[in-house]
Amino acid sequence: MSTDPGAHGQAWQRRRLSSRTLIWDIYLTLANKVAAPLRSGHIVPAGAVAHAADGRWTGFQPPRPGDSRSACPALNAMANHGILPRDGKNIPFPSIISKVHQTYNFSETFVYFTSNYVAHLLGRSYARDTFDLADISLHNGIEHDGSLTRLDVALAPDQGVPYPPFIRELLASATGQDPTTGEAILTPTDLGRVTARRRVQARAANPQYSLANIHAKFSASNSTSLLRIFGGKVKDLEVMLLEERIPDGFESSTKAKHGLTMFSFQSTVKAIDSAIDEDAAAREMEMEMRKGEKME
Ligand code: HEM
């Protein structure tokens, strides 16, 4: 145990922060159970930045040279629409809470917890300091190897740029079907399978590959947002992940009044996590390779 009173104080503060946030999150989860869900067409609040009354997401501009972008497609898209500063720089930590909540209907507890976590990782004051989007790509902070939308940092130091071949592979893996529209959707099993394949590929391609348990957990949590916020809809995710643009007509698949809480997304995190089987993926990929060699 540390004898440094400063370090002890910080650790205590972190624990206190976590338990307070957890209680707040459980409260919102319960409040969501009694409140009427938001109606389709009313999930994004009227007057939200970059959201027109007819459901279009306005003001999209791709990043310009010198703009700061992160490994997170959802935050980048917000900057591309001017919901966050377009240059992605000098963002006060607390300022993203209501913006992320309004745009994606993630609970404020999730955004509060995540942005606080980033401030701690960067050694900055949550209340007083700011961050650039690129700062949150700190390797093995939240950012990790084996992502679904980026090459590993050892192979692609600029994590602000998506890697289309991985995204296309992800979208092509969809086996589900939207019961109303018949459109292709990703399922937890699809995400488990594609994540396992990505990890096998990353392990082989990146001599510095690592994935601690906490990062495997972040990986499944990020994938959860693909299902619980974007409904796994391939058509929307194509726009979101390849262009980092919020598709017109998009509104969160989570209709709960207080948004998707950390507590309520755990069931999906577990479903994805338990569908990740790296041994099976390695066998499958080896067979595909042998088949490819035979055809040559
Ligand atoms: C609230 C603040 C947020 C922070 C600090 C944050 C941070 C990050 C980071 C660092 C990554 C890179 C992880 C990796 O290496 O794969 C990431 C990826 C991702 N995030 Fe976020 N994020 C936030 C909010 C969101 C929201 C609101 C959504 C969805 C609406 C979201 C969806 C995703 C997705 C889909 C990925 C891609 C995962 C991959 O490539 O495998 N994030 N995020």
Side-chain angles (χ1 to χ4, degrees):
M1 193 172 156
S2 170
T3 50
D4 168 9
H8 177 77
Q10 272 176 19
W12 179 82
Q13 233 184 359
R14 257 199 300 273
R15 272 201 298 275
R16 189 176 65 137
L17 172 77
S18 308
S19 51
R20 271 157 117 211
T21 312
L22 204 68
I23 291 166
W24 180 20
D25 193 75
I26 291 170
Y27 168 76
L28 291 185
T29 307
L30 295 173
N32 274 340
K33 288 199 188 301
V34 291
L38 300 169
R39 283 179 298 128
S40 288
H42 298 267
I43 294 168
V44 183
V49 180
H51 189 245
D54 62 2
R56 274 177 309 113
W57 286 89
T58 58
F60 172 80
Q61 281 167 27
R64 292 152 306 178
D67 288 347
S68 182
R69 290 296 182 266
S70 71
C72 177
L75 296 181
N76 290 349
M78 289 175 71
N80 292 342
H81 282 274
I83 303 168
L84 293 177
R86 287 190 184 276
D87 67 359
K89 293 181 182 165
N90 303 311
I91 305 170
F93 290 96
S95 72
I96 71 168
I97 295 184
S98 64
K99 290 175 177 173
V100 172
H101 174 64
Q102 289 192 348
T103 308
Y104 298 115
N105 202 24
F106 244 119
S107 66
E108 294 193 341
T109 39
F110 165 84
V111 195
Y112 178 73
F113 173 78
T114 318
S115 48
N116 247 289
Y117 191 83
V118 172
H120 281 299
L121 284 175
L122 298 173
R124 297 190 192 157
S125 159
Y126 178 75
R128 289 185 303 278
D129 293 335
T130 62
F131 68 100
D132 294 352
L133 285 176
D135 295 339
I136 70 167
S137 305
L138 177 74
H139 185 49
N140 283 341
I142 297 177
E143 192 283 323
H144 53 78
D145 288 337
S147 311
L148 300 180
T149 68
R150 262 76 180 154
L151 277 164
D152 290 355
V153 69
L155 308 172
D158 183 358
Q159 287 289 296
V161 184
Y163 187 66
F166 290 162
I167 297 172
R168 292 204 185 95
E169 187 181 341
L170 163 70
L171 300 176
S173 76
T175 61
Q177 211 180 27
D178 186 308
T180 343
T181 61
E183 284 170 7
I185 54 171
L186 287 162
T187 66
T189 312
D190 298 334
L191 280 161
R193 184 168 167 265
V194 83
T195 302
R197 289 175 65 96
R198 230 332 252 138
R199 288 183 190 170
V200 171
Q201 191 270 347
R203 209 183 286 279
N206 174 10
Q208 290 163 45
Y209 177 83
S210 69
L211 192 73
N213 286 343
I214 188 166
H215 298 116
K217 181 96 180 167
F218 287 151
S219 148
S221 302
N222 287 330
S223 295
T224 292
S225 68
L226 298 177
L227 301 183
R228 301 286 297 272
I229 301 294
F230 299 103
K233 294 174 193 160
V234 168
K235 231 168 95 184
D236 279 359
L237 286 171
E238 208 166 6
V239 175
M240 184 69 204
L241 300 178
L242 287 169
E243 293 176 54
E244 305 202 323
R245 172 165 73 81
I246 308 178
D248 284 335
F250 162 81
E251 56 179 11
S252 179
S253 297
T254 288
K255 297 187 168 47
K257 184 169 181 223
H258 301 287
L260 181 62
T261 61
M262 294 188 281
F263 196 81
S264 64
F265 84 29
Q266 287 313 318
S267 55
T268 312
V269 174
K270 278 195 197 125
I272 294 173
D273 214 26
S274 60
I276 299 173
D277 183 340
E278 287 185 46
D279 291 337
R283 284 194 299 274
E284 186 183 78
M285 289 164 82
E286 177 135 8
M287 266 166 57
E288 286 169 5
M289 222 167 67
R290 287 218 194 106
K291 231 169 145 182
E293 279 168 2
K294 266 192 200 157
M295 306 254 285
E296 275 167 18

